[in-house]
Amino acid sequence: MADDAAAVGVTSDAADRRQRLQSLLAELAALDLQGDAERVRGLLAEAARLLDRSAEPQRWAAFRSRYASLSEELDPAAAAAAYRDALEVWDPVSDRESWLACHEGIGWLLARQAPLTPAQQQEAIEHLECAVGERPYLAAILAPLYQFHTLGDPWANWQKRVAYLEQDAALIDRASEPERWARATNALAVACQEEPDADFGAALERRLARHAQVLAALPAAATGARVETWLALSECYRFRCLGDAAANLATAEGYARDALAACRPAAGWRLRAEALLALARVLLRPGHSDAAALAEARALCDEAAPLIDPALSPALLATVESFRSDICLEGIAAGDLAQVEPLLAHGEAALALLSAPEALRDRRVVRQVIADGLLLAGRYEQAAATLRAALAEATAALAEASSVAGRMERIWEFRDSAALLAHCLLRLGQVDEALRELDRGKALFWRSDRRDWTSADLAGLVPAGGALLCANFAADPGAVTIVAAGGSETVWLPHFGRQRLLQLQRGEAGAAALGGWLLAYHQQQEQAAGWRQMIDDTGRILFDELWQPLLQRLPALGVAADGELMWLHQGGSSVFPLHAAWYTDDQGDRHWLLDQHVIRYAPSIGALLAARPASAGTAQALLVADPLCDLPFAAIECAWVQQALGTPAALLCNDEATPAAVLAALGRVDILHLATHARFDLERPLQSCVFLAGGERLTIESLLPALAGRPPALLALSACETAMARVASTPDESLGFPAAFLHAGTRSVLASLWPVDDVASAFLVGRFYREMAGGAKSPARALRDAQRWLRTVTVGELMALLREAKDLPPPAGPLAAATRSALRSYAADHRPYAAPWFWAAFIICGRE
């Protein structure tokens, strides 16, 4: 009887639910879905509760989907939850449209939130990408999601961003929607220029051309799009590398003023604020803005600030506070220390507004400005804490990057923060930690174990009777920490710091065009005499301003005369032949640094510690000679190398020297000698290459996997530009042939700083191997002695050397005979290779 009563109760309850549901549906049918939205939502929610989901899943899901659609504006969180409920029911095949609508709804609702957490960004992307194939208009939402995506590899995210921008632009008819087309095209131009680790100058020119095309195509009535395009062009000209720098800045200012003048109230508060800040950005030129420009920039920020709602656009208001920090920094640099507290206040306000995960780079820039101001004010503890915060965030972001380009982009976010932190720590007397922080910053691309070296590790690197010289040119004055057996000491260089180093590299600060060493380098073919004079003149400056203060301190630290000095580069010092420094005595006689000390180089301490143990026994060698058949002296060079080695060496000549053959041999040889052409790529260092048979390129990037096994103990790159590293941006000395091989375990790398003379290089490299024969000398000492020999060798001595080579097999023998004949026109005591251009290009990087 009890069971029968219960069954009756259940039946009665089900009937009541059906009756209530029918009543709800009748009421729904009579309501206005928009005007009575709140009531409709309530009825739909109740209807879903009344339905048995397991018995009528699709009907239940339909109620939840309708509820979600009506809730998007009223209650986004409830809408997203309802879409998720319905998505559990809809089948992606049989319920395709409903399934797509749920994915679109969830993705759109998440994308509207600000700020988005990284997990929310990822979820929005995943949902929208389920639907974008059949609903291509969703590309317009996906593109900005990938722009600010903090998870995943930056380069992969960039590829997706560009693809979706292109998809969105393809949907727009330029004739009927000119403003929308302009905005889409401008966004695509910006994205293409922001390719991770791309050639910045070339990418900027392509972007500029696209913006110019948009401007030319816009009708006069398209005021908003015209203003946006002017602002984009202003930014391009502000950063432009080509052309006259002053003219580019004037053009940038002109576009910014045009944009501001056209921003009438109808344009909206955001566009007006962006135009005000664009002009302020042009006027704020660190180190070069005059008082009037700073005053106008401050006024522009003051006008922009009240226009911006921090809830709607926190990043834009952060830009105002960031610019105010820049203005304060200019005051501190001019000696007004009263600007320190306002700098801190504006900087902290900017950081508070930049809380979104994707604002990593903007936060780092703000912290850098704060740190610069604190450094100028002598508040080193505070500056160090600020820089540590920047580095901690950037380190976490780097963990997401997997591709080469992606890692390079994330490393760029560090820029010189690690070096500046090390500078602060040196100021505070924390020398060991300063050297560690500097090394952490240098080794970001290569290291995976993240193990810091110990004091014992460092002591083990000090050459017998010599010293490590750890440079820091992140600020002024520069500093070099000497680490020797007799102790350590940081030497401050009042005349050689960041500004002086940049001046030597690029010319006078604020100059309209590139100057200094880099200009002479780029013009070396057209103006060979000027380039050779630059090498000579720079050597004198380096001795007077850099080396002299260091040499004075070495004896007290136990460094012997003719002791070996290991120079650890920083700040782009790797571009200079530091070993070719010189001075004249009272009698006018010239004296060279390399006559006093052996100079060896390294990009970082970590690179030295990666060296594999020295192998005992006979060294196996692979020689690559003249793959392009246009370096005839490479044959003589390799013949001399084989003679000096005293054991048979594998030789790949001309078209035998393919990339495959070289890569196949890498794991079996102790010495790899490449006598060929090379090219260093300043913008993309890992695409730097040596040229092999048929003009094929063997890049650093393609070498990395082959080096993972058993790298050669000695790599001799008898080619042009193989010792160069990126000097325009961080990580400078940590990218290039030497760093790649050293971090892979190679002990020593012979490489060159500039295009070298074929004949002189053959003499020098052949002598280098002779000096090293039988292990008599380390590679660094052997090179030093070979350079001293080439500097002083006479025509008579060269003719005797060539006489011995004339019987070598062709083409080496006949070429030696012909060269010997050509030398007869010079006096026997003439020293043809005395100038540093001939001998100073080659350096040794590494452990020995």
Side-chain angles (χ1 to χ4, degrees):
M1 296 290 292
D3 289 344
D4 291 342
V8 171
V10 170
T11 302
S12 175
D13 180 62
D16 290 343
R17 290 165 69 90
R18 283 196 300 272
Q19 185 177 356
R20 175 58 182 163
L21 181 59
Q22 289 173 354
S23 174
L24 291 175
L25 294 176
E27 184 178 353
L28 275 170
L31 288 174
D32 176 5
L33 292 182
Q34 299 303 321
D36 301 308
E38 281 287 4
R39 178 60 181 159
V40 172
R41 289 177 66 243
L43 294 174
L44 289 169
E46 186 179 352
R49 289 194 298 271
L50 291 171
L51 273 178
D52 183 348
R53 173 179 172 177
S54 59
E56 298 181 86
Q58 291 189 315
R59 194 179 184 197
W60 176 86
F63 283 132
R64 294 300 285 156
S65 290
R66 289 179 66 192
Y67 173 84
S69 178
L70 286 172
S71 301
E72 287 179 350
E73 297 297 336
L74 299 170
D75 190 346
Y83 278 131
R84 290 188 180 95
D85 287 344
L87 198 56
E88 294 177 2
V89 173
W90 297 129
D91 183 82
V93 178
S94 58
D95 305 312
R96 187 67 178 176
E97 284 303 312
S98 298
W99 183 83
L100 290 171
C102 287
H103 279 299
E104 176 182 343
I106 297 170
W108 182 77
L109 288 166
L110 286 170
R112 291 174 61 197
Q113 296 184 31
L116 278 178
T117 66
Q120 288 171 327
Q121 284 179 331
Q122 184 61 34
E123 185 183 0
I125 286 170
E126 289 171 357
H127 283 291
L128 291 169
E129 288 192 329
C130 287
V132 70
E134 294 165 67
R135 301 185 176 191
Y137 56 84
L138 296 178
I141 305 174
L142 278 161
L145 283 172
Y146 271 109
Q147 179 180 0
F148 300 113
H149 198 26
T150 55
L151 297 179
D153 180 70
W155 192 75
N157 289 338
W158 174 82
Q159 284 186 305
K160 287 280 194 176
R161 174 189 171 193
V162 170
Y164 286 126
L165 284 171
E166 289 174 338
Q167 182 174 329
D168 180 49
L171 298 175
I172 304 170
D173 179 63
R174 171 175 158 181
S176 60
E177 296 182 279
E179 294 217 21
R180 186 176 166 221
W181 167 82
R183 291 188 177 97
T185 306
N186 282 335
L188 183 58
V190 172
C192 289
Q193 187 254 317
E194 292 177 354
E195 178 184 357
D197 198 36
D199 182 329
F200 176 82
L204 186 66
E205 290 301 311
R206 292 192 293 270
R207 174 188 169 185
L208 194 155
R210 287 198 184 197
H211 291 318
Q213 290 169 359
V214 169
L215 189 62
L218 278 172
T223 305
R226 186 174 293 276
V227 168
E228 291 168 2
T229 309
W230 277 332
L231 295 178
L233 284 165
S234 175
E235 181 176 359
C236 288
Y237 277 100
R238 190 168 64 89
F239 288 114
R240 196 179 189 210
C241 306
L242 295 181
D244 180 77
N248 286 335
L249 282 172
T251 303
E253 182 176 341
Y255 278 124
R257 292 193 184 279
D258 287 344
L260 185 56
C263 273
R264 299 177 180 87
W269 66 268
R270 182 184 295 275
L271 199 57
R272 174 75 180 177
E274 288 176 350
L276 289 163
L277 295 176
L279 180 54
R281 186 179 284 112
V282 176
L283 296 171
L284 283 171
R285 297 176 57 212
H288 306 295
S289 296
D290 57 29
L294 290 174
E296 185 178 3
R298 185 181 288 109
L300 292 165
C301 289
D302 291 344
E303 183 180 347
L307 298 176
I308 305 168
D309 184 342
L312 295 176
S313 191
L316 198 58
L317 189 56
T319 301
V320 175
E321 296 298 337
S322 176
F323 286 178
R324 286 168 167 167
S325 298
D326 291 334
I327 295 168
C328 292
L329 180 60
E330 290 297 305
I332 297 169
D336 183 5
L337 296 185
Q339 295 296 316
V340 174
E341 294 308 322
L343 167 75
L344 295 176
H346 291 307
E348 291 302 324
L351 291 172
L353 291 161
L354 294 169
S355 59
E358 65 268 16
L360 169 69
R361 181 175 293 180
D362 293 332
R363 286 197 298 275
R364 200 217 64 83
V365 170
V366 172
R367 288 195 173 104
Q368 188 81 21
V369 172
I370 294 172
D372 286 343
L374 292 169
L375 269 170
L376 290 170
R379 293 162 66 164
Y380 304 119
E381 287 276 10
Q382 283 180 276
T386 300
L387 292 164
R388 285 189 192 279
L391 286 165
E393 283 195 322
T395 302
L398 182 60
E400 287 289 326
S402 55
S403 70
V404 168
R407 287 184 64 77
M408 289 298 302
E409 183 69 8
R410 288 281 164 85
I411 290 171
W412 170 248
E413 289 159 5
F414 288 77
R415 288 204 270 182
D416 52 357
S417 295
L420 269 176
L421 174 57
H423 179 93
C424 292
L425 295 172
L426 287 176
R427 290 285 200 175
L428 294 167
Q430 300 174 28
V431 176
D432 284 354
E433 187 57 23
L435 298 183
R436 287 193 185 93
E437 288 292 352
L438 182 61
D439 218 53
R440 288 178 191 131
K442 288 181 174 185
L444 289 170
F445 182 82
W446 304 107
R447 291 181 61 187
S448 57
D449 59 356
R450 301 295 298 151
R451 183 184 74 85
D452 284 330
W453 46 262
T454 65
S455 298
D457 291 329
L458 191 64
L461 294 175
V462 176
L468 303 178
L469 304 179
C470 306
N472 189 313
F473 302 123
D476 291 302
V480 175
T481 300
I482 304 171
V483 181
S488 64
E489 178 183 343
T490 297
V491 179
W492 293 95
L493 304 169
H495 304 297
F496 203 91
R498 180 175 182 272
Q499 294 304 320
R500 182 55 166 153
L501 190 59
L502 288 173
Q503 182 187 50
L504 288 177
Q505 288 176 359
R506 299 173 170 275
E508 295 297 329
L514 181 71
W517 180 274
L518 294 180
L519 176 63
Y521 183 90
H522 288 307
Q523 296 179 341
Q524 60 185 280
Q525 290 186 341
E526 299 86 359
Q527 301 183 29
W531 166 234
R532 297 187 187 195
Q533 190 62 47
M534 175 62 74
I535 296 171
D536 209 44
D537 292 346
T538 302
R540 178 62 184 264
I541 293 170
L542 290 171
F543 192 94
D544 292 345
E545 300 179 14
L546 174 63
W547 281 110
Q548 196 167 24
L550 300 175
L551 296 174
Q552 291 172 353
R553 300 302 309 147
L554 293 179
L557 295 171
V559 177
D562 204 41
E564 192 169 330
L565 304 178
M566 162 64 76
W567 179 273
L568 290 142
H569 286 298
Q570 194 278 322
S573 62
S574 62
V575 76
F576 300 116
L578 304 183
H579 54 286
W582 59 273
Y583 72 98
T584 54
D585 59 23
D586 294 339
Q587 287 73 44
D589 295 327
R590 182 177 291 201
H591 300 271
W592 297 91
L593 177 66
L594 83 167
D595 289 330
Q596 301 180 41
H597 292 282
V598 175
I599 311 295
R600 182 163 38 107
Y601 300 90
S604 66
I605 293 168
L608 294 172
L609 292 171
R612 69 181 177 92
S615 57
T618 302
Q620 302 297 312
L622 171 67
L623 313 182
V624 175
D626 193 17
L628 300 183
C629 304
D630 61 350
L631 294 173
F633 258 82
I636 295 180
E637 176 183 311
C638 287
W640 282 334
V641 171
Q642 285 183 305
Q643 288 178 348
L645 289 174
T647 57
L651 177 63
L652 296 174
C653 291
N654 308 140
D655 57 5
E656 299 172 335
T658 64
V662 174
L663 290 172
L666 265 181
R668 304 193 303 270
V669 299
D670 303 293
I671 297 173
L672 176 61
H673 182 95
L674 299 171
T676 181
H677 292 286
R679 188 189 71 186
F680 183 79
D681 191 326
L682 266 174
E683 293 296 332
R684 307 187 76 171
L686 295 184
Q687 293 304 308
S688 302
C689 64
V690 292
F691 291 96
L692 297 178
E696 290 193 73
R697 299 162 64 245
L698 186 59
T699 66
I700 293 177
E701 190 169 1
S702 64
L703 278 165
L704 293 178
L707 295 175
R710 181 177 177 270
L714 171 65
L715 168 68
L717 290 162
S718 183
C720 303
E721 302 183 325
T722 48
M724 289 186 67
R726 177 186 279 187
V727 296
S729 58
T730 299
D732 40 52
E733 286 79 22
S734 298
L735 284 174
F737 281 103
F741 274 84
L742 294 178
H743 278 281
T746 293
R747 296 185 68 80
S748 301
V749 177
L750 172 72
S752 64
L753 289 167
W754 56 77
V756 290
D757 179 81
D758 182 25
V759 181
S761 297
F763 285 127
L764 176 66
V765 173
R767 184 72 181 201
F768 163 70
Y769 278 91
R770 288 194 197 92
E771 297 283 352
M772 215 173 32
K777 297 177 182 177
S778 69
R781 192 167 290 276
L783 178 62
R784 191 280 301 265
D785 290 349
Q787 288 173 321
R788 293 172 71 185
W789 171 82
L790 187 64
R791 196 184 79 222
T792 58
V793 71
T794 64
V795 165
E797 291 167 326
L798 291 174
M799 289 180 67
L801 182 61
L802 290 168
R803 184 186 303 114
E804 299 172 4
K806 66 183 179 63
D807 295 326
L808 290 170
L815 182 60
T819 304
R820 186 169 181 270
S821 297
L823 285 173
R824 294 183 186 278
S825 61
Y826 296 93
D829 61 352
H830 175 60
R831 296 177 176 179
Y833 301 122
W837 179 76
F838 290 106
W839 53 263
F842 282 98
I843 62 171
I844 285 287
C845 297
R847 191 69 182 259
E848 297 177 331

